[in-house]
Amino acid sequence: MIDDGKKLRHPRSWVRPALAAFSGALAGCTALTVAELVSVWVRPQASPVVAVGSAAIDRTPPAVKDWAIRNFGTADKLVLQLGILAVLALLALALGLLALRHVHSAAAGVLLFGVVGGLAATGRPDSAGMTDALPSLSGAAAGAATLFSLVNSLTAARSEPSESGAGDEPGWDRRGFVITAVAAAAASTGAGTLGRHLNGSTTRDAVASREAVVLPAPGSPAPATPRGAGLRIRGISPFITPTDDFYRVDTALVVPKVDATAWRLRIHGLGVGKAVSLSYDDLLRRDLIERDITLTCVSNEVGGPYVGNARWIGVPLAALLAECGVRAPSEGGPADQLVSRSVDGMTIGSPVEDVMDGRDALLALGMNGRPLPFEHGFPVRMVVPGLYGYVSACKWIEDIELTTFDTYDAYWAKRDWAREAPVKTQSRIDTPRPFARPRAGPVMVAGVAWAQNRGIDKVEVRVDDGGWQEARLAAEDSRDTWRQWSFAWQATRGSHTLTVRATDRTGTVQTEKRTRTVPDGASGRHSVVVTVE
């Protein structure tokens, strides 16, 4: 092919670069599937995607975490995992192209990523030691070997005639490449299938243990919900949040699936006479209590969705601690911090004084009449009314240590969040929604307000810059639950701003000062803008 006397590039010269990029992708896939398979024998949390993702979460500034939660909600972890996989895919393609000229450097690059994954796994708070690096290193070795073999087939030192009859187009071992690619794809598929099967076996044991749980009748059942606690208003949050709709905010990339029959809880530390180890059945045999309690996440912005009310059943935590010899600091106890540890390594620090001051702090076993879902902490989690979740609501708990705030900083305290964080008095407008367009005339404004461990005494609504008008409160269930409210508004045409504020049982009025979630929860008043037609 001639153009102005110059030979054009052979029309099939793109084939080898394309196959090199494909080789990189296949090598990356092999590395991941082998790593996932090896993680079955080590532990699922040691797999490279989980390890790197968890390390990224640990090192992400609070402001970025808030942005992710605000924009992606409970899908933030899925977005992170997809992002990691996308980055790995691009790097794998790049290493494949690099391998055409520098195969040893490209293979070393694959091994380097294995080292990064291994360091991420061994650096986790729940790391089991150097064995956690095995999945990443094993996967990287398999990926490097695959890439080396495939690219060697592409760079075979021989020449083949081109379709035009010229003998100057470099040849490559097509047969060897196809055989190696098919073998790598089959091995990758087999490793992935086997890994999923083995992981499924472990998961099935945990699922079976949950399905076998029969929650006993509580010795102290929750009082009947007062008539009128739930208002029949379209758009308002239900008084009891359905389990499937209850918010989930945590750092676990993979939800731990814990077999309740093998689970143990250890209680130890300052003021504990002798370390105690309890099984799940031990807790089921104790006197249980049932309570309606509203939980709030510290990442909840003003008017946000990360608050929910559920009926919990569990072991009174204060009584259990007292049996172990623990006393509150006000009664001379040496420990002022209770550090709860999750099976995934999360540590949460709670004030001992708050846990033992008479509020219904629980080691919860059930939620809304059923054993805890895995997403919400099965087999056991902590629930402490009046405290934000990051200082109280440890899920998948397996260890309780009594210590002091001066000697130990839990996970979030190390990241500049406050050590103690009582829930702030807040309220939210559920209906009408922002930018709604209701018709002029009677419009029902309604929502919820909460101040756990104090209770809500009053809710007021303001239209534009007018005066505050008292809303009608629904019946109160307890001071630990949110309270619904409603306000009948005679809406006039035009754009209007509706604002709500609550007053708790101590007389504290919800502040208008707007703050972000860091370091101890957002504050301010929720408002919505609507256009009345």
Side-chain angles (χ1 to χ4, degrees), residues 290-366:
E290 183 183 58
R291 296 291 184 269
D292 295 337
I293 298 172
T294 296
L295 297 188
T296 311
C297 179
V298 74
S299 295
N300 197 48
E301 300 278 1
V302 173
Y306 302 121
V307 56
N309 186 50
R311 176 159 291 187
W312 309 91
I313 182 171
V315 175
L317 182 54
L320 178 59
L321 293 175
E323 289 178 20
C324 297
V326 178
R327 291 177 294 156
S330 60
E331 297 179 355
D336 62 5
Q337 179 179 207
L338 182 156
V339 176
S340 49
R341 289 182 172 85
S342 168
V343 299
D344 70 342
M346 171 57 67
T347 56
I348 287 180
S350 309
V352 175
E353 191 68 46
D354 290 351
V355 170
M356 303 188 74
D357 68 358
R359 70 185 74 191
D360 289 318
L362 299 175
L363 287 178
L365 310 175

Side-chain angles (χ1 to χ4, degrees), residues 49-133:
V49 173
V50 174
V52 172
S54 298
I57 291 174
D58 290 347
R59 290 161 178 78
T60 299
V64 177
K65 288 182 180 177
D66 275 354
W67 177 87
I69 292 173
R70 188 165 57 251
N71 287 275
F72 301 118
T74 55
D76 57 341
K77 299 171 187 63
L78 176 60
V79 171
L80 174 60
Q81 288 177 300
L82 292 176
I84 292 171
L85 291 174
V87 169
L88 290 176
L90 291 174
L91 291 172
L93 293 172
L95 288 174
L97 291 171
L98 174 64
L100 268 181
R101 293 183 178 272
H102 306 286
V103 66
H104 291 92
S105 296
V110 177
L111 293 174
L112 178 60
F113 282 108
V115 172
V116 171
L119 291 174
T122 56
R124 289 284 299 149
D126 62 334
S127 173
M130 292 306 297
T131 55
D132 276 2

Side-chain angles (χ1 to χ4, degrees), residues 159-221:
S159 179
E160 293 179 348
S162 67
E163 289 183 351
S164 62
D168 55 0
E169 181 69 16
W172 51 282
D173 185 2
R174 290 175 173 80
R175 178 183 175 85
F177 180 85
V178 171
I179 291 174
T180 304
V182 171
S188 177
T189 302
T193 302
L194 180 59
R196 284 191 295 272
H197 173 74
L198 294 175
N199 270 323
S201 298
T202 303
T203 298
R204 283 193 292 273
D205 290 341
V207 171
S209 73
R210 181 179 179 273
E211 291 177 346
V213 172
V214 177
L215 293 174
S220 175

Side-chain angles (χ1 to χ4, degrees), residues 250-262:
D250 52 56
T251 63
L253 271 182
V254 176
V255 174
K257 299 289 179 69
V258 181
D259 184 346
T261 62

